[in-house]
Every structure is written in structure tokens, then in C-alpha cells.
Amino acid sequence: MTRARVPRYRRDHIAQGQHFQQPPSHPGPSRTPINRQPPPTAIKKTRRDATMSESTSTATTSAASSAEDNARKVQQYKDNLISRAETLITKEFPERIVRLNALLDTPQFSERSFTDVYQELNIPVPEPILVEGEEGSERKRPRLNSSTPSPAAAVDGNGTKVHALPTGRVECNKPIGELVCIVKPIIRALVEDSNLLKMWISFMIPKIEDGNNFGVSIQEDTLAEIQSVETEAAAFFDQISRYFVSRAKVVSKVAKYPHIDDYRRAVAELDEKEFLSLWLVLSEIRNRYCSLHDIVIKNMEKLKKPRSSNADSLY
């Protein structure tokens, strides 16, 4: 067995009985450990990143919950609309048809003469203006503060300037106004009902597929009929407003040319025409309710289930 060779300087120390301590292998100056901390900007950036990540996660969670809540509300709205439309068709449409028939049989619309809706205008006929002949004396120049129209204006045919009526304002035709107050809520109800049915059928239309689309075609035809009813009902409102505008224009002509009876007769003709139009509008609304009820009831099965489940067995 070979002995490990001991250095000479260690042998000398060992022989003298001294304890030997090996010098450090890499002597050098001692170093104090430094506590390094990140700068303030880095701390702020770290906190900002942490806050942004927390806000992003919170926003994502709230957006997801909000989307689910909105989807649930939309589905609830669809279910309520479908239930409301089915109740409208089966119960409310027959009631409204019966009510409209009873309204058309009332004295306000049935067997009523056109003279019942005539209303006298509150525009008096002024005294005629005497114009002197050519052989007479010269025409007197009217005073500036005089309210009597000048003979020259009467001869020119431009009418008289109306600043105020001596008997007050010209009121609307009261019988026609009463009928308008009765018909307008009925028109509005038809517009709302047709819009509800339109959305109901739109929700019933299935996704687009190849084949087996006979029931879908029935839905589309019914939807087109309902849209035409909605458009026609909205036009009834425009018809009422046009009557008042036309009557106001003719009444202004009566005020400007009070001696011309044709303008007064034109006002009476407009009132009679509007009375007939309101009766016709009420009849058309009754007929539209009947047609919508008939077409929906006859095709209720195809409207609710346009595609049969056993379609594959036909081939």
C-alpha cells in the first residue's frame, strides 16, 4: 500500500507538535453582500400589469355572465311573443271581428246621411263692394287704417288679405272628428297585431335546408300577407292627416274669397268624402282581421311545424 506524500512544510510542523492550518486557496478582500431592490418604475409597472390582468379577468367574467343573461332574456322574449301571438289568433281576433261588426251597425256609421256630417263654416260673407262706373267720378283712395278692401284688389282678383276673422276661429268638423277618434285606436291595434304576427312567423321559420320546404313556403306567403296588412294599416293614418291638410287649404280659400260659393261647397264635399273613407277604413280593418284569422287558422299546423319528421320515409 502506497503512502500519500505529505509536503515538507507540513512534516516540519507536525514534527514540532504544532497545529497546521492550511492557508486559503484564494486569498482576497472580503465582500459585503448587497441587497439589490428593483427600481420604483419597475414596481409600478408590475403593479399595473397585475391590476390590468385582474381587471381583464373580471371584465371577461362579467362579459360572459352578461352574454348569458342577455341570451336568456332574448329566449324569454321569444317564448312570451309566441304565446302572446297564439292567444291573439285564437281568442282576441274573433272578439275584435265581432266588435267591429257591432260598431259598423251603430247609427254613427250605418244609415247615416251625408248631411249629418256637414258643418257650417264660421266665415261670414261680407257686404259687396260698390265699384263706381267709368263715367262717374274718380275712385276715392282708401284710407290706410281702413279695414275695407280696396276696389282695385277686388277687380284684380287677388282676394282679400285675411288678418283675422270677425267671428273667431274656424273649427274642425266635429262629426268627422268624433269618427276619427273612434277609428284611430282601431288602426293602431291592427298595426300592432300585424307586427306581432309577423315576428311570430319569423321565429317559426326553420333553418335553411335542401328539400322539404313546402311548409316554409306557406310561412313565407303568410308572412307576405301580414306585411301587406301592416303597410295598408299604416297608410290609413296618412289618409286622415291628408284630409285635415286639404280641408285647411280649402277653408283658407273660403276666407280669402268669401263670395265664391264653390270653395264652401268644396269643404262640404271633403267632409262627405272623409266620412265615406272612415266607414271604408273600418270595414277594411274588419275584413283584414277576418282574412288573417282565416289564413292562420287553416295553416296553423304548417306554420308551427313546417317540416315533418317523417319526410325521409317518402323517398
Side-chain angles (χ1 to χ4, degrees), residues 3 34 73 75 106 135 154 160-161 213-214 221 232 236 252 263 283:
R3 283 183 163 183
I34 301 175
K73 290 181 179 179
Q75 186 61 38
T106 56
E135 296 178 357
T160 58
K161 294 182 179 180
N213 289 324
F214 178 71
D221 294 341
E232 185 178 357
F236 292 153
S252 65
Y263 287 124
S283 301

Side-chain angles (χ1 to χ4, degrees), residues 81-108:
L81 187 142
I82 292 173
S83 176
R84 175 76 176 88
E86 293 177 358
T87 305
L88 180 67
I89 284 294
T90 56
K91 295 183 180 180
E92 296 185 16
F93 269 25
E95 294 177 358
R96 297 188 182 184
I97 293 171
V98 173
R99 193 183 308 120
L100 289 174
N101 284 330
L103 182 60
L104 287 170
D105 292 337
T106 56
Q108 287 182 311

Side-chain angles (χ1 to χ4, degrees), residues 18 43 46 65-66 73 91 93 100 122 153 172 183 185-186 192 198 202 212 223 229 249 270-271 273 275 303 307 309:
Q18 297 179 0
I43 296 175
T46 304
S65 61
S66 177
K73 290 181 179 179
K91 295 183 180 180
F93 269 25
L100 289 174
N122 194 20
C172 298
V183 174
I186 300 176
E192 294 176 353
K198 182 177 66 175
S202 299
N212 196 19
L223 185 62
V229 171
K249 289 181 180 180
L270 276 176
D271 294 339
K273 178 183 176 183
F275 167 70
L303 291 175
R307 288 179 179 151
S309 58

Side-chain angles (χ1 to χ4, degrees), residues 152-224:
V155 173
D156 294 341
N158 294 328
T160 58
K161 294 182 179 180
V162 181
H163 298 285
L165 295 175
T167 55
R169 65 176 185 176
V170 179
E171 296 182 354
C172 298
N173 190 306
K174 291 183 178 179
I176 297 296
E178 293 175 357
L179 298 180
V180 168
C181 293
I182 295 174
V183 174
K184 283 182 70 175
I186 300 176
I187 299 174
R188 178 180 177 181
L190 178 60
V191 173
E192 294 176 353
D193 295 343
S194 58
N195 184 269
L196 180 64
L197 291 181
K198 182 177 66 175
M199 294 303 300
W200 172 59
I201 295 180
S202 299
F203 290 153
M204 292 292 107
I205 296 177
K207 64 180 181 180
I208 301 174
E209 293 180 356
D210 294 335
N212 196 19
N213 289 324
F214 178 71
V216 179
S217 64
I218 294 177
Q219 288 179 330
E220 292 176 351
D221 294 341
T222 308
L223 185 62

Side-chain angles (χ1 to χ4, degrees), residues 121-155:
L121 295 177
N122 194 20
I123 302 176
V125 179
E127 295 294 331
I129 301 174
L130 298 178
V131 181
E132 298 179 0
E134 296 179 356
E135 296 178 357
S137 59
E138 296 181 357
R139 300 171 182 171
K140 295 183 180 180
R141 185 175 182 180
R143 291 178 297 176
L144 296 178
N145 58 354
S146 177
S147 59
T148 305
S150 62
V155 173

Side-chain angles (χ1 to χ4, degrees), residues 12-23:
D12 297 339
H13 282 279
I14 292 172
Q16 296 177 5
Q18 297 179 0
H19 178 71
F20 173 77
Q21 184 178 4
Q22 186 176 357

